[in-house]
Each structure stands twice: as structure tokens, then as C-alpha cells.
């Protein structure tokens, strides 16, 4: 059953958001869960995307994605009224939410999208929320207003200093960890390398740290095992065992290499698509 | 034998039969009819079906080899008890329609089963002709005849559906068991919905078994029949996540549920290096290649798969053969099949082993990987194997493989496919309180495939561990019959007295 795009907009150069009709997913979904999307029944690839928000009454979910390859680019070229062939979910185990006390939510780039519903749920459970949002530059900071609305403290960092502090997220994270009232929990979601360094910081202070892993998947229900990661030396499946894990136990180096398994082929497919969209004028349509 | 010789032989035999019948000795003399197939070199470069199928002459000659034993030992070997000698007699008479009708009394998916059933350990194992020659491959080719008859079935026969009962049935999983359970419960007049987690129906028949062994169009035809019967099909629906079984029954009004979700979780070996880039479960490798059509990557398909030069497949079952033969078709120069026992103990069908060898797969028996070795980028470069010898038989009756200490050696490969079976997916267990599971995570059922929850039935690999298509179908049928009975009683109770 196709899923209609209700609305779509651009959040930054390569980041897009859309509200999509998916009644059953909207009703069942909890923070931390994701969907698998494919755009074509015969030839489409299946990609996992986080559910950033949902309106159960309207029967819609909000997706936020970064244009990094063929399918995310094709999705970015779709407009309100277009239909997505397949949306499956909600998948993964929901985030464990309780009143920890003070929680630091660290988001990197597109990671803010999965982080927002978790931060909201943690706030609702009575936690004090300190958010640290980082990106390469000002343009790439997404969902700042939404975080501002629920945070007790909000720290923005950019690599180039074009907005907020000129720093990596690990710098303010370390400062927060050093405070007298040390945070009780850290949630870090973003590029694998960012999560790795956040975990190195929090490990020094012995603060439990949850990360949400976005690995390559095919089915998303445990059948293929392509999403497996090493947790404490044991293979775990991101799709059924979480996507969230104790960050101090994740073998990030191996995960980063597995994420790059198809880099060359993904690049080829992306280039092929870009040629195609230039030919049919899609590039101009989207620029408007 | 040329086509002409074959035709002449058939004529002679038919005349002789008319004149007073063929004696067993005459029948034994008919040469077993080989299955015409694509040339091995040719087919290793395409994904089309390997076996191209019998002609009418092949089929009638092969059917004349059947002795029509009164005891019909073949039927005892068939999980769904097809009246084998009757359908074969009809084939020898050239009445193929009658033959199909006989098969369909017991089996819903003859075109599928004729291709993927392990006949050599079922009906053909007990065939008198095979026993006479002391060679199961010389038994009457029941499977090939079944396939021949099923493939001729161009006009679609839509089974009649009883008047609506007002009862709602949910079938979870659209694999072989689900297809049969859906058809049988719909025939009884229930309102049936078939739920599938993938974007396409067919389960293992489409994601697992490759096109070259079972064309997708055959499976689609069976699904189309279900649709025409009025079965509702819902894809992208993960039971336990999208809706739970409890929600389906308490909120969505389903009166009975059949769980046929398959085993679902690939087994890994637990050895060092198993998460390196280039190590696949057979499930992942086959799903990418089959369902996602990765063989067309770059010319339409968006799902990539490793561009392998040297591939090692571990395991000795049909899935291992499918993986190895898929790797050949995807262009690998060398494909090694690494198995810790010998060919004799391999669970794969003889035919699949034979086809794999013909296509250039190299067999490394009495060996098994000890660890996977990678380079600085975590890409697979080799496997380190141990040599094995066979000891005393284990619980499976097969001789136990024993590693030989200090026998380590390496095989250079860039891709490793682990094909050593599946374990139960925990999704239903985690989300269905009250449903009883055994210690391996398989659902516990009684002889009617009924679970510990009222109105909930289950069959196939989620119940039996890893088995076959025909066994899943058999259980789908048993469950459907029990569900129909349960629903009839339930509907009687609901009637005002």
C-alpha cells in the first residue's frame, strides 16, 4: 500500500523532512523506533529511517533524512502528494525511558532527528534535560527550536564556529560531566565517530551512555543479520536487539567499517541517479 | 537418446501396452528420463531456471517406468499423501488434466513442490524401481512428473469458496505454510487476511530459493489465485511490531490466527572475525540477490552486493548450495563450499550438489573455518580452517565430525557466506504473552498445530526449526483444518439459541 507524502520541506542543504501517511505505524510507534522505506517494489533498496515524530490521530509519521545516496536523494526529489511505495514498521525496540535525574542529550547533524522524540519522552518522565547539538556549520543545525522548547539547557557547537561555540560536541560534554552535579545519563546519537568519542568522554566519568546505531539493513526484522554489531565482543542485531545499546560496549571501529561496506557501489548508484535527474530536470525542480 | 528415438520408443511401448500390457521387465528396461537443463557454462552466467522441464514424450516414458505397485510405497514417503501411482498412470495415458486434478486433491502448490521437494528422501526413496536398481536416482522421477503436469496448467483453477461465515482469520507470514493455510481457511468461507513483513509475498520461496531453482512467476501465480479467492493481502506488516497478536484478536476482530513466520534469525558460527566486511549470513546474501535483485545492480536495482572474486560458503545444505551457485552467477571466479563432514552426510539434495559441481563450485569436505581473517580495513582476506575426520554417529545418525588438532591452513577469499541454519526469531515471543515456546524459542503446538493460546495456531520453521517447504505446507493444511473446525464450533456457540 503506497504512503502519501502530506508535506515536505528542506531543513538544510542536504537534510529534508516529510510528513507521511502511515496510520498503523503512527499508532504503534514509540520513541527510538524506526521504519524501513523503499521506493520501488521491484528494484528499490530498503533503508532504515528514524521516526522523528508521529500524529496518531492524523495517522501520519514524520521522517527526517539526509541526502547521502541514491534512495535518500530520490526521496528528497519527491514532493507533497507523491507516494512512497513501502513503509514498514515501527521496528526496533523502543527506548527505555525513566526518571534518571539529569540527562545530557548529544545530537550530531542528522542525529538530532532520532534524538528529539527520545529527549521529549525523557523530559516527560521528569528528567532535567541538557542538550548539546553539534554540526559542521550553522546551516546544518536542525531542530534547534524544537529542542529549545523542551530543554533546561541548550548548547550549540559548530566545527567552523559559524554558530554557537566553535568546538566538537565532546568539549561541552566533558565540561558538563565535570560539573558538581554530574549528569546521571547521557544519550548520544549522530555519526558513529561522534558517538565513539562521546562514549570515550563519558566512560572517564563513569556515566551510563545510550547510543542509537544506524547500520545497514535489509529486512529490519532479524532475518538477514546484516545489521550486526559487536557489543562486548558478542554479535548483536541492531534491528531486533535494539537500535539502542550501552555505548561503552559498542565496537565502533568495526561498525564504521561495516557501514562503508558498499561505499563504492553506493557512490556509483548516486552518481548514476544524479545524471538521470539532471537529464529530466529534477535538479531544477528541487532547487525552487 | 535423441528426441526421435524417444518418440519411437514411446510409440512401441504404447502399442505393446495396448496389445496386452507391459510387464515389469519391460518397464525396467525403459531408460530413466533425464531432466533437460541449460548448459552449465551458459547457465552460470544467467539467473534463469536451470532445469527446463520434461517434454510430453519424456513425461510419458518416465511415467511408463512406474510399476503401479498395489502397496504404493511412494505415497508413504509423501508428507501430504498425494495419490502418486494414480497421477502417474494418468500421465502415461496422456491425460495430464486428470493427473493434475489428482495431485491437487492433496497438494496446493505442485509447481513449487515438483521443483523444491527433496523427493529422493521422500516418495522416491521408497520407490520399488529405485530399490530394484539399488539406486535412488533411478527411481521413477515423481517430482519431475509433478512439475511437468503443474506447468501445463495454464488455465487457472480458482477453488470454490463456501458462503461467508462472518469469521475473520489472520495468517501471519506468506511463505508456503501461510499460502496453504490462507487458501484452506478461505475455502471454508472465512474472511482471511494474509500479513507479510516484506514488501513482497512468498516468504522463503521468493527471498531464499533462487530464481534459477524456482522462478518467482510460479510463486506469484499461486498468490494471484489467493487474491482471486478473496484473500486480503497486507504487505509491510510486521506482526508484533505494527500490531501484536493480542491486538489483532482483541481489537481488530480476528477470530483465529495462524503463525507461519519461519525461523527467521540466521545462525552464525561464533568464530573470530565473523563481523568483518564481506561476511554474510546466507539469508542476507540470498535476500540481496533474489528478492532485491542485486544481480541487476547498476542497471535498475538499487541494492548492492559484494563484487566477489573468491567466495567461501560454509555449510552442506540446500541453502549452502543456493548461496554458492548464486555467487557463481554474480561473477565470482572461485567458489568454495566448505563442509565439515563428507558429501555423504550433506543434507543438500543430490541434484543440487550435482548442479553446484557442474557449475564449478569446488568442494572442500572435512574442513571448517576456525576464524575469519581481515586486512587493516576489516575486509575479509582469508579463512583459517581446521581439517576434520569422522567419528561415531551422533544423535542425527550422521558420523560426528572431529577436528584434527594442529591441522590449521588458510584459504584466500574476499567473501564468506555462513549457511549453517537458522534459529527462532524472538519477535513473536517478546510480544505475545501466554504463548508457549520450547527452550530453542520454537512455538509449542499439539498434533493439530494448536498453540497454548485459544484460536492461535502455528506451523512451519517457527515450530519445527529448519525443515522443508512441503512440511511447512503440510502443517499449514493441518492447522487450517483445525482452525476451520474451531471456527465452526465458535460460530455455533455465537448463534442465538
Amino acid at each position: 500500500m503506497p504512503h502519501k507524502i502530506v508535506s515536505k520541506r528542506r531543513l538544510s542543504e542536504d537534510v529534508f523532512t516529510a510528513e507521511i501517511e502511515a496510520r498503523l505505524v503512527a499508532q504503534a510507534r514509540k520513541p527510538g523506533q524506526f521504519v524501513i522505506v523503499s521506493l520501488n517494489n521491484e528494484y528499490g533498496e530498503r533503508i532504515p529511517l528514524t521516526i522523528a515524530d508521529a500524529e496518531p490521530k492524523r495517522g501520519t509519521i514524520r521522517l527526517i533524512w539526509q541526502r547521502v545516496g541514491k534512495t535518500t536523494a530520490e526521496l528528497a526529489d519527491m514532493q507533497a502528494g507523491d507516494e512512497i511505495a513501502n513503509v514498514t514498521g515501527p521496528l526496533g525496540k523502543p527506548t527505555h525511558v525513566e526518571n534518571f535525574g539529569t540527562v545530557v542529550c548529544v545530537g550530531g547533524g542528522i542525529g538530532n532527528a532520532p534524538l528529539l522524540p527520545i529527549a521529549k519522552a525523557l523530559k516527560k518522565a521528569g528528567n532535567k534535560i541538557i542538550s548539546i547539538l553539534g554540526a559542521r556549520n550553522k546551516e546544518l543545525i536542525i531542530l534547534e527550536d524544537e529542542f529549545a522548547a523542551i530543554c533546561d539547557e541548550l548548547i550549540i557547537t559548530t566545527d567552523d564556529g559559524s554558530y554557537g561555540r566553535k568546538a566538537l560536541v565532546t568539549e561541552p560534554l566533558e565540561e558538563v560531566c565535570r560539573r558538581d552535579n554530574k549528569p546521571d545519563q547521557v544519550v548520544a546519537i549522530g555519526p558513529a565517530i561522534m558517538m565513539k568519542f562521546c562514549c570515550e568522554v563519558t566512560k572517564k566519568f563513569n556515566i551510563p551512555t545510550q547510543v542509537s546505531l544506524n547500520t545497514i539493513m535489509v529486512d529490519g526484522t532479524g532475518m538477514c543479520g546484516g545489521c550486526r554489531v559487536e557489543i562486548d565482543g558478542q554479535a548483536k542485531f541492531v534491528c531486533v536487539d535494539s537500535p539502542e545499546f550501552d555505548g561503552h560496549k559498542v565496537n565502533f571501529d568495526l561498525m564504521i567499517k561495516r557501514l562503508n561496506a558498499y561505499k563504492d557501489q553506493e557512490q556509483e548508484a548516486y552518481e548514476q541517479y544524479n545524471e538521470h535527474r539532471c537529464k529530466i530536470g529534477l535538479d531544477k525542480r528541487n532547487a525552487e | 537418446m535423441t528426441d526421435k528415438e524417444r518418440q519411437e520408443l514411446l510409440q512401441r511401448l504404447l502399442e505393446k501396452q495396448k496389445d496386452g500390457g507391459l510387464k515389469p521387465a519391460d518397464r525396467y528396461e525403459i531408460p530413466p528420463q533425464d531432466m533437460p537443463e541449460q548448459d552449465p557454462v551458459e547457465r552460470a552466467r544467467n539467473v534463469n531456471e536451470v532445469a527446463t522441464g520434461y517434454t510430453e514424450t519424456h513425461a510419458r516414458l518416465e511415467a511408463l517406468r512406474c510399476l503401479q505397485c498395489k502397496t504404493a510405497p511412494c505415497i508413504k514417503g509423501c508428507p501430504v499423501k498425494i495419490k502418486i501411482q494414480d497421477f502417474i498412470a494418468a500421465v502415461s495415458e496422456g491425460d495430464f488434466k486428470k493427473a493434475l486434478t489428482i495431485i491437487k486433491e492433496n497438494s496446493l502448490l505442485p509447481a513449487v513442490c515438483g521443483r523444491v521437494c527433496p523427493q529422493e528422501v521422500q516418495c522416491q526413496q521408497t520407490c520399488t524401481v529405485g530399490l530394484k536398481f539399488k539406486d535412488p536416482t533411478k527411481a521413477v522421477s515423481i517430482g519431475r512428473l509433478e512439475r511437468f503436469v503443474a506447468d501445463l496448467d495454464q488455465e487457472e483453477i480458482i477453488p470454490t469458496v463456501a458462503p461467508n461465515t462472518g469469521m475473520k482469520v489472520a495468517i501471519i507470514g506468506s511463505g508456503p505454510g501461510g499460502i496453504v493455510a490462507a487458501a484452506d481457511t478461505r475455502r471454508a468461507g472465512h474472511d482471511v487476511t494474509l500479513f507479510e513483513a516484506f514488501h513482497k509475498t512468498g516468504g522463503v520461496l521468493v527471498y531464499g530459493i533462487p530464481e534459477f531453482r524456482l522462478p518467482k512467476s510460479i510463486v506469484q501465480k499461486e498468490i494471484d489465485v489467493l487474491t482471486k479467492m478473496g484473500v486480503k493481502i497486507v504487505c509491510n506488516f510486521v506482526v508484533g511490531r505494527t500490531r501484536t497478536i493480542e491486538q489483532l484478536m482483541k481489537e481488530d476482530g480476528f477470530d483465529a490466527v495462524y503463525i507461519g513466520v519461519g525461523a527467521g534469525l540466521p545462525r552464525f558460527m561464533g568464530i573470530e572475525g565473523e563481523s568483518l566486511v564481506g561476511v554474510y549470513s546466507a539469508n542476507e546474501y540470498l535476500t540481496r540477490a533474489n528478492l532485491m535483485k542485486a544481480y541487476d545492480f547498476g542497471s535498475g536495482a538499487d541494492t548492492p552486493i559484494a563484487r566477489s572474486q573468491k567466495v567461501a560458503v560454509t555449510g552442506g545444505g540446500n541453502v549452502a548450495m543456493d548461496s554458492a551457485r548464486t555467487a557463481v552467477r554474480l561473477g565470482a571466479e572461485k567458489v568454495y563450499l566448505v563442509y565439515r563432514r563428507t558429501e555423504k552426510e550433506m543434507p543438500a539434495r543430490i541434484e543440487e550438489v550435482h548442479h553446484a559441481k557442474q557449475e564449478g563450485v569446488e568442494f572442500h569436505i572435512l574442513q571448517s573455518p576456525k576464524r575469519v581473517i581481515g586486512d587493516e580495513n576489516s575486509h575479509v582476506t582469508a579463512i583459517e580452517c581446521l581439517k576434520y575426520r569422522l567419528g561415531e554417529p551422533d544423535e542425527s545418525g550422521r558420523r560426528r565430525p572431529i577436528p584434527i588438532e594442529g591441522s590449521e591452513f588458510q584459504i584466500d577469499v574476499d567473501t564468506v557466506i555462513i549457511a549453517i541454519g537458522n534459529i527462532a526469531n524472538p519477535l513473536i515471543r517478546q510480544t505475545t504473552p501466554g504463548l508457549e515456546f520450547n527452550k530453542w524459542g520454537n512455538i509449542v503446538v499439539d498434533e493439530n498445530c494448536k498453540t497454548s493460546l485459544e484460536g492461535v495456531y502455528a506451523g512451519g520453521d517457527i515450530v519445527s526449526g529448519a525443515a522443508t517447504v512441503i512440511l511447512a505446507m503440510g502443517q499449514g493444511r493441518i492447522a487450517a483444518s483445525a482452525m476451520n473446525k474451531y471456527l465452526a464450533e465458535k460460530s455455533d456457540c455465537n448463534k442465538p439459541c
Side-chain angles (χ1 to χ4, degrees), chain B residues 29 172 213 295 366 383:
Chain B
E29 263 175 37
I172 306 172
R213 208 147 73 77
Y295 51 81
L366 292 171
I383 46 172

Side-chain angles (χ1 to χ4, degrees), chain B residues 47-120:
Chain B
V47 293
N48 302 333
E49 194 171 13
V50 167
T52 49
Y54 272 171
T55 61
E56 220 176 287
T57 318
H58 281 114
R60 293 188 70 180
L61 275 177
E62 186 66 27
L64 284 171
R65 296 183 62 233
C66 172
L67 304 175
Q68 293 292 313
C69 311
K70 289 219 169 57
T71 52
C74 47
I75 300 184
K76 293 190 191 83
C78 174
V80 296
K81 309 286 174 230
I82 294 174
K83 294 192 188 86
I84 294 167
Q85 85 278 44
D86 293 350
F87 104 73
I88 290 184
V91 173
S92 71
E93 288 155 16
D95 191 347
F96 307 126
K97 204 170 171 181
K98 182 177 161 195
L100 185 65
T101 311
I102 295 167
I103 295 175
K104 283 209 166 171
E105 280 172 30
N106 298 75
S107 171
L108 263 178
L109 310 172
V112 174
C113 293
R115 287 172 165 85
V116 302
C117 260
Q119 289 99 6
E120 65 278 7

Side-chain angles (χ1 to χ4, degrees), chain A residues 42-43 221 223-224 228 262, chain B residues 274 280-281 283 296 425:
Chain A
E42 286 310 311
Y43 273 153
T221 62
M223 202 273 294
C224 82
R228 67 194 185 279
Y262 299 101
Chain B
E274 227 172 357
Y280 288 89
S281 73
N283 283 359
D296 274 344
N425 192 317

Side-chain angles (χ1 to χ4, degrees), chain B residues 421-492:
Chain B
N422 290 291
I423 47 178
N425 192 317
L427 198 51
I428 302 256
R429 192 180 52 203
Q430 287 166 356
T431 58
T432 316
L435 191 59
E436 198 189 324
F437 291 82
N438 67 17
K439 63 176 172 177
W440 297 283
N442 296 108
I443 299 176
V444 176
V445 297
D446 67 10
E447 69 280 7
N448 292 317
C449 290
K450 189 190 170 312
T451 71
S452 56
L453 286 178
E454 194 187 324
V456 180
Y457 297 75
D461 283 4
I462 191 64
V463 168
S464 48
T468 58
V469 168
I470 187 82
L471 282 174
M473 282 176 44
Q475 289 183 334
R477 172 144 276 182
I478 292 167
S481 140
M483 287 161 87
N484 288 340
K485 203 167 153 233
Y486 166 77
L487 292 171
E489 282 163 14
K490 192 175 172 184
S491 115
D492 280 346

